[in-house]
């Protein structure tokens, strides 16, 4: 049984095709520069990438290009598109409307549209991706929405409320929603299996550290806090996003620089974070190298990142009243032994005894990187959001594996 997973961005669209029997990725790809010119990178499993320039004026054309690649004679992996049983869509923002994955119908599309003011770039793209699939695969195809915010709907009011005037918060749906929920839930469940104890009996602090990063506090299977907020801008310093800053800096920038809101968004989302701090790159690999070569701005960017991770681990230890495990995942969390070490070293009094050698040798995990006597375990667990989305799509489509 074959399931397609789609992650639509404003000008890009990622896809992955899974054979659910055995969980094999058959092909994956990326449509870029949608609405500008168009570039398709298609990779059948075990083969080289094929990069093609194609006209992609819309998401529908991008989906058509991806589907053509999947059934093409030279590098296709399907005989016909009828072989696709279901499609799972990653939805960036579900607002208060979704606390689990859901089969898409008109009311689900309406709810995703209602959240557009909170996710003005991502949610319109998600709708375009869904409607493009309807147009190409037919309206009967089972489509499922998997929201990044859904897992965090259990966050209690005291942790999701922002102290702005109540009427403004209500009018504009201003509150913490939290993000990366699919990943936080998945790695916590994987960590519970790794430990060999029931997921609902454990407290976790999960650190999803990628281009976008967030840390979650999970109490007995339920998210109770996340460093990301109303948008995916709050919390940790990220590749190009600013993370926590004093909101006063925003009004000050608007006043002193006389810039538009659009320009401000560009600064906060695209020019800040590790890129802004280091002045060289948003990528931790580049920053680690530059810091090693003596670049002091790069060193500071790394220091800020590790300090913030450490600070939030401490905060969530307090919020949970202690954790059974701290879990690291995503590009940086799985691969940077340096970031993990600098975030965790010397936390013994908090009950975290981190093992340098295990950390250096963990190779992306799953692995234990705390000492055998550490009261709180530290784990590295690889995330796999696409696989979770594919499974939810299969489950909610009502079809079963033969
Ligand atoms: P996304 O959030 O786009 O899914 P990923 O989870 O793939 O991103 O994380 C990408 C980031 O992971 C890169 O920008 C880079 O900073 C970091 N990364 C990947 N490999 C390494 C590595 N070996 N060492 C340090 N950082 C790494």
């Amino acid at each position: 049984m074959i399931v397609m997973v789609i992650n639509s961005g404003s000008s890009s669209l990622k896809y992955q095709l899974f054979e659910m029997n055995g969980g094999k990725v058959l092909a994956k790809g990326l449509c870029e520069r949608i609405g500008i010119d168009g570039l398709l990178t298609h990779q059948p499993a075990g083969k080289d990438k094929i990069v093609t320039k194609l006209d992609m004026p819309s998401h529908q054309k991008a989906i058509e290009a991806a589907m053509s690649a999947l059934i093409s004679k030279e590098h296709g992996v399907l005989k016909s598109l009828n072989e696709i049983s279901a499609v799972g869509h990653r939805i960036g923002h579900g607002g208060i409307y979704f606390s689990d994955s859901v089969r898409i119908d008109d009311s689900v599309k309406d709810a995703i549209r209602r959240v557009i003011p909170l996710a003005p770039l991502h949610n319109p793209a998600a709708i375009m991706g869904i409607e493009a699939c309807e147009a190409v695969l037919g309206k009967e195809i089972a489509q499922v929405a998997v929201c990044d915010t859904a897992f965090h709907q259990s966050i209690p009011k005291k942790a999701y409320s922002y102290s702005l005037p109540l009427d403004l918060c209500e009018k504009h749906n201003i509150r913490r929603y939290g993000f990366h929920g699919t990943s936080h839930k998945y790695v916590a469940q994987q960590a519970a299996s790794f430990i060999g104890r029931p997921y609902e009996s454990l407290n976790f602090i999960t650190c999803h550290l990628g281009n976008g990063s967030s840390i979650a506090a999970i109490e007995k299977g339920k998210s109770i806090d996340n460093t990301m907020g109303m948008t995916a801008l709050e919390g940790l310093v990220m590749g190009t996003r600013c993370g926590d800053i004093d909101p006063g800096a925003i009004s000050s920038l608007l006043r002193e620089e006389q810039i538009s809101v659009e320009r401000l968004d560009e600064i906060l989302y695209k020019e800040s974070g590790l890129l802004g701090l280091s002045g060289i790159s948003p990528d931790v690999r580049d920053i680690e190298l530059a810091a090693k070569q003596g670049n002091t701005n790069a060193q500071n960017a790394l220091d800020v990142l590790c300090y913030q991770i450490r600070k939030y681990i401490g905060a969530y230890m307090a919020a949970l009243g202690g954790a059974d495990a701290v879990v690291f995942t995503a590009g940086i969390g799985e691969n940077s032994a340096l970031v993990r070490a600098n975030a965790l070293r010397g936390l013994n009094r908090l009950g975290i005894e981190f093992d340098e050698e295990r950390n250096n040798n963990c190779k992306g995990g799953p692995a234990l990187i705390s000492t055998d006597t550490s009261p709180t375990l530290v784990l590295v667990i690889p995330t796999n959001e696409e696989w979770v989305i594919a499974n939810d799509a299969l489950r909610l489509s009502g079809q079963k594996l033969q």
Side-chain angles (χ1 to χ4, degrees):
M1 190 166 284
I2 290 169
V3 172
M4 188 164 186
V5 173
I6 293 178
N7 185 354
S8 304
S10 51
S11 67
S12 71
L13 184 149
K14 288 186 203 156
Y15 61 91
Q16 264 192 48
L17 198 69
F18 287 92
E19 169 49 76
M20 301 305 288
N21 279 308
K24 190 172 170 243
V25 176
L26 299 176
K28 58 182 168 183
L30 171 66
C31 303
E32 289 172 280
R33 301 178 62 79
I34 301 170
I36 306 164
D37 37 30
L39 191 69
L40 172 71
T41 306
H42 176 72
Q43 185 166 28
K47 297 195 183 147
D48 288 340
K49 284 181 186 165
I50 299 114
V51 182
T52 323
K53 277 193 180 170
L54 283 170
D55 206 19
M56 283 182 210
S58 65
H59 282 67
Q60 177 158 336
K61 291 289 171 205
I63 293 271
E64 284 173 12
M67 299 293 180
S68 300
L70 291 173
I71 54 168
S72 95
K73 282 226 163 60
E74 306 89 65
H75 33 255
V77 292
L78 298 176
K79 286 200 186 74
S80 145
L81 294 179
N82 293 334
E83 289 174 60
I84 301 175
S85 300
V87 182
H89 292 269
R90 181 180 186 175
I91 310 291
H93 212 312
I96 55 163
Y97 300 111
F98 305 102
S99 54
D100 200 353
S101 303
V102 60
R103 178 94 179 243
I104 296 171
D105 58 14
D106 286 344
S107 68
V108 169
K109 283 198 273 180
D110 280 349
I112 298 170
R113 282 196 191 94
R114 255 177 273 143
V115 186
I116 287 176
L118 296 172
L121 295 180
H122 282 99
N123 280 25
I127 291 288
M128 285 190 269
I130 293 165
E131 292 189 334
C133 285
E134 278 173 7
V136 177
L137 298 172
K139 270 217 158 206
E140 315 71 47
I141 185 88
Q143 299 205 72
V144 167
V146 181
C147 295
D148 251 15
T149 48
F151 179 53
H152 298 302
Q153 276 297 295
S154 50
I155 293 177
K157 197 166 183 179
K158 65 183 173 194
Y160 76 61
S161 300
Y162 291 127
S163 56
L164 291 169
L166 201 53
D167 56 334
L168 283 179
C169 289
E170 279 170 2
K171 185 171 171 199
H172 299 289
N173 300 309
I174 298 172
R175 51 159 282 180
R176 179 183 310 287
Y177 293 94
F179 293 84
H180 296 130
T182 311
S183 177
H184 286 295
K185 183 177 173 187
Y186 173 75
V187 297
Q189 288 174 332
Q190 293 294 307
S193 305
F194 188 95
I195 299 167
R197 287 174 55 195
Y199 169 60
E200 283 83 8
S201 71
L202 297 165
N203 288 353
F204 290 106
I205 296 172
T206 48
C207 309
H208 177 107
L209 310 174
N211 278 320
S213 298
S214 73
I215 300 185
I218 303 173
E219 186 174 51
K220 302 197 179 351
K222 289 199 162 33
S223 170
I224 62 151
D225 209 347
N226 183 245
T227 54
M228 280 183 168
M230 172 175 132
T231 68
L233 205 52
E234 193 182 349
L236 299 169
V237 56
M238 301 178 224
T240 59
R241 285 175 250 167
C242 63
D244 294 337
I245 55 170
D246 179 349
I250 292 174
S251 38
S252 166
L253 267 179
L254 285 173
R255 217 171 20 247
E256 302 300 322
E257 289 284 312
Q258 305 269 307
I259 51 178
S260 65
V261 173
E262 289 71 26
R263 175 71 193 120
L264 180 69
D265 267 346
E266 230 169 61
I267 295 172
L268 299 177
Y269 279 92
K270 305 238 168 90
E271 298 173 13
S272 300
L274 297 171
L275 174 65
L277 280 166
S278 70
I280 53 167
S281 170
D283 192 307
V284 165
R285 286 164 291 200
D286 299 336
I287 294 175
E288 283 185 9
L289 188 66
K292 217 165 157 186
Q293 291 164 345
N295 183 317
T296 52
N297 290 334
Q299 185 59 55
N300 185 47
L302 264 185
D303 290 345
V304 170
L305 173 64
C306 298
Y307 175 70
Q308 291 190 353
I309 298 167
R310 186 185 184 82
K311 191 169 80 171
Y312 274 115
I313 289 174
Y316 286 174
M317 277 295 225
L320 290 164
D324 295 286
V326 176
V327 182
F328 282 84
T329 195
I332 303 166
E334 291 164 32
N335 296 301
S336 177
L338 183 81
V339 168
R340 291 192 303 260
N342 289 343
L344 293 174
R345 208 175 270 126
L347 293 183
N348 295 34
R349 289 183 71 181
L350 279 189
I352 298 173
E353 292 167 13
F354 150 81
D355 187 301
E356 298 273 357
E357 205 178 315
R358 285 179 177 172
N359 181 47
N360 289 332
N361 296 325
C362 84
K363 298 193 175 67
L368 177 80
I369 60 165
S370 47
T371 64
D372 289 335
T373 54
S374 179
T376 304
L377 305 180
V378 185
L379 301 168
V380 175
I381 304 277
T383 193
N384 196 346
E385 290 155 291
E386 289 77 13
W387 179 234
V388 178
I389 295 171
N391 274 289
D392 278 5
L394 179 64
R395 173 172 60 89
L396 290 161
S397 75
Q399 300 166 89
K400 292 222 158 53
L401 290 179
Q402 284 94 25

